[in-house]
Amino acid sequence: MTVNHSSVLSVEYFESYFHLVISSRNYEIDKAKEFIIQNFFKGNVKQYGEDTCLSFCLAYSRLTERI
């Protein structure tokens, strides 16, 4: 997925990204989280700023509440 380094990514963006990783790789939510951290964030969840990190964490939280 393309990322504009100057904007804050939304919770909805990450929810969609989680769904994409889960369905395309057949991962459970926790495995998808680790995959995104390693491949999207390059191991640093704050790489794109605090607000984007918060959106990622909120998306993960929302998805785990639905399970």
Side-chain angles (χ1 to χ4, degrees), residues 1 9-19 55 59 62:
M1 297 179 94
L9 299 174
S10 68
V11 174
E12 293 78 16
Y13 175 91
F14 284 111
E15 285 179 333
S16 295
Y17 196 21
F18 267 103
H19 287 295
S55 293
R62 282 186 186 178

Side-chain angles (χ1 to χ4, degrees), residues 16-54:
S16 295
Y17 196 21
F18 267 103
H19 287 295
L20 175 68
V21 171
I22 289 167
S23 64
S24 66
R25 297 186 171 268
N26 199 27
Y27 283 169
E28 297 291 327
I29 186 75
D30 291 328
K31 179 99 171 162
K33 178 184 177 188
E34 291 305 314
F35 176 85
I36 294 169
I37 290 170
Q38 291 306 312
N39 293 281
F40 182 84
F41 289 107
K42 312 288 189 271
N44 177 8
V45 292
K46 295 187 179 180
Q47 177 168 328
Y48 298 110
E50 293 285 334
D51 292 333
T52 294
C53 177
L54 179 60

